[in-house]
Amino acid sequence: EDGITVGELAEKIGQTPANVIKVLFMLGTMVTINSSLDDEQVELICLEYGYESKKKVVVSEINFEEIEIVDDEADLVSRPPVVTIMGHVDHGKTTLLDSIRKSKVVDGEFGGITQHIGAYQVEVNGKKVTFLDTPGHEAFTAMRARGAQVTDIVIIVVAADDGVMPQTKEAVDHALAAGVPIVVAVNKIDKEGADPERIKGEMSELGLMPEEWGGDTVYCNISAKKGIGISELLETLTVVAELADLKANPKRYAYGSVVEGRLDKGRGPVATLLVQNGTLRSGDPIVVGTAFGRVRQMLDDSGRDLKEAGPSTPVEITGLNEVPVAGDKFMAFETEKTARHVGEERQKAKQELDRGVSSAMSLDDLFNQI
Ligand code: GDP
Ligand code: MG
């Protein structure tokens, strides 16, 4: 009995047939709108566009009546916000990240040496907040340029003794372009000459009118160095996050973005991933950019072994065949065969792009619908 056609599948998942054809083309198969698809192709397309069989059945047993949007209302749960700190050089980004990290560490958790994986989570009144600890704007910009929208809230740090500087403006532009809520942290209020009111005026000119002046931007006066105002800032983040009503579905296979990738002499390719939706499990077959493999070891931001990581959790994993780069997207699959297939096709496509072979779509288009 013939399978579903490209046109029929496209209709069921609310995509244009052209999109379905493109995805298959990138996987190395030429089809037309009337071609019948085999089970594996159907599974790939469904995963590609965020659909999945409700039941974890083998592909040949998928009943199309059961295919639904994964992020079914009933499966959605609140997830922690992902926060990025931006601002002009020397205005205190690193000091603030350190200060937040230290302020929330449960006694003895770090045993002196803090592992650096480029992202961490803290708990504020029982609610988690994830911080991306990326070096400056570059990673954020690179991730955004590559379509990886990972940040839910941006904190713009401005030194109260210095005021708005070129990179402050740049940061505001990035955050406004990303369309995410902005919290302004007026830093170094411990310093002589600190003038938080002046900062509000300057930032208002960039479009960030303080709440107390009738606008909708929250300002927090802090000293990252002395630890002043940090808990208020963290509480503000939880309030802003609640208003944003961030949700995810922990029941689906994980997808998300690469925060950092590096080669470790002993452990091989190591990647810091941010799970954006779904649950990543140790042992999961996974494609990360053009790399693939199985999640061999999964560690949290304190270097502890993790078996499962839900939405907004930063993790460090090993088990990939090559080093991914920041902004690469990842996806876990049900079978290693599928992961390998997708990984290899993406590698082929990348080699073609590298060779300058023109391609109708970029590599990232493969994942850009998720
Ligand atoms: P970044 O370039 O934005 O990451 O800035 P840093 O965190 O490296 O801070 C730059 C300098 O400002 C360092 O010497 C910090 O110690 C200092 N600094 C950061 N926050 C404060 C603060 O709240 N008060 C004072 N007095 N100095 C600060
Ligand atoms: Mg810094």
Side-chain angles (χ1 to χ4, degrees):
E1 143 204 357
D2 275 352
I4 189 167
T5 68
V6 168
E8 287 162 354
L9 178 62
E11 201 185 324
K12 280 197 186 291
I13 62 174
Q15 287 296 325
T16 62
N19 278 345
V20 173
I21 290 167
K22 269 197 232 164
V23 171
L24 288 169
F25 175 75
M26 286 303 285
L27 295 171
T29 315
M30 295 287 285
V31 294
T32 68
I33 187 166
N34 294 317
S35 305
S36 313
L37 300 172
D38 67 27
D39 294 339
E40 190 179 37
Q41 290 169 323
V42 168
E43 187 190 29
L44 286 171
I45 297 292
C46 289
L47 285 169
E48 203 54 52
Y49 289 110
Y51 287 74
E52 190 175 35
S53 167
K54 278 285 258 189
K55 290 182 187 167
K56 281 198 180 171
V57 290
V58 290
V59 187
S60 60
E61 287 167 4
I62 288 179
N63 166 0
F64 282 98
E65 299 314 309
E66 287 169 0
I67 288 184
E68 282 175 39
I69 292 176
V70 170
D71 301 335
D72 185 331
E73 225 19 67
D75 289 336
L76 292 177
V77 298
S78 285
R79 65 171 177 84
V82 178
V83 180
T84 306
I85 298 179
M86 301 175 81
H88 196 72
V89 65
D90 283 343
H91 280 199
K93 299 178 295 293
T94 304
T95 309
L96 178 57
L97 278 161
D98 289 349
S99 165
I100 292 169
R101 192 172 181 156
K102 279 185 210 123
S103 74
K104 292 295 159 184
V105 170
V106 181
D107 272 348
E109 211 174 83
F110 284 128
I113 312 153
T114 55
Q115 148 151 5
H116 180 91
I117 72 164
Y120 63 76
Q121 250 180 0
V122 297
E123 234 175 74
V124 184
N125 304 329
K127 290 174 199 140
K128 286 176 176 162
V129 179
T130 303
F131 286 88
L132 284 185
D133 186 359
T134 50
H137 297 209
E138 294 77 15
F140 184 82
T141 312
M143 286 168 100
R144 255 182 39 76
R146 310 192 66 227
Q149 179 80 271
V150 294
T151 304
D152 301 305
I153 302 172
V154 170
I155 298 178
I156 309 250
V157 176
V158 197
D161 62 337
D162 201 19
V164 169
M165 298 300 276
Q167 286 163 31
T168 316
K169 284 200 182 110
E170 223 179 275
V172 171
D173 287 346
H174 281 312
L176 290 174
V180 294
I182 297 170
V183 172
V184 178
V186 181
N187 190 30
K188 307 198 187 185
I189 55 157
D190 60 294
K191 280 185 96 169
E192 206 158 315
D195 188 355
E197 290 304 297
R198 194 192 97 211
I199 306 302
K200 282 183 192 166
E202 292 179 6
M203 292 296 274
S204 295
E205 283 171 30
L206 302 181
L208 300 177
M209 187 71 77
E211 273 187 327
E212 55 273 35
W213 295 2
D216 52 18
T217 306
V218 183
Y219 282 66
C220 295
N221 290 341
I222 64 165
S223 166
K225 195 171 174 179
K226 303 237 156 111
I228 301 165
I230 304 301
S231 45
E232 289 81 358
L233 175 63
L234 291 174
E235 269 158 38
T236 298
L237 293 174
T238 61
V239 173
V240 172
E242 227 152 83
L243 286 173
D245 195 25
L246 306 164
K247 298 258 161 91
N249 174 12
K251 291 184 184 170
R252 61 165 291 163
Y253 290 108
Y255 73 78
S257 298
V258 175
V259 177
E260 278 178 0
R262 65 192 165 86
L263 189 64
D264 182 282
K265 270 188 194 149
R267 298 157 72 208
V270 176
T272 298
L273 307 178
L274 177 71
V275 178
Q276 293 179 264
N277 202 356
T279 298
L280 187 64
R281 294 185 176 81
S282 134
D284 273 353
I286 191 172
V287 176
V288 186
T290 55
F292 59 91
R294 261 181 197 278
V295 177
R296 194 189 308 147
Q297 189 181 33
M298 183 157 71
L299 303 176
D300 71 7
D301 54 1
S302 315
R304 286 174 302 210
D305 258 306
L306 271 186
K307 290 283 161 261
E308 292 192 348
S312 300
T313 311
V315 294
E316 186 182 86
I317 66 147
T318 62
L320 299 174
N321 67 336
E322 59 178 51
V323 180
V325 297
D328 274 348
K329 291 176 185 173
F330 79 83
M331 232 171 149
F333 291 88
E334 184 166 3
T335 67
E336 189 160 13
K337 186 175 158 232
T338 309
R340 171 177 292 271
H341 181 63
V342 174
E344 283 171 353
E345 290 304 327
R346 285 170 65 86
Q347 258 168 12
K348 257 190 245 162
K350 180 168 178 278
Q351 280 159 11
E352 279 183 17
L353 286 177
D354 289 349
R355 280 205 310 269
V357 174
S358 74
S359 164
M361 62 193 296
S362 79
L363 191 62
D364 284 326
D365 285 344
L366 250 187
F367 276 0
N368 76 358
Q369 300 291 334
I370 60 175

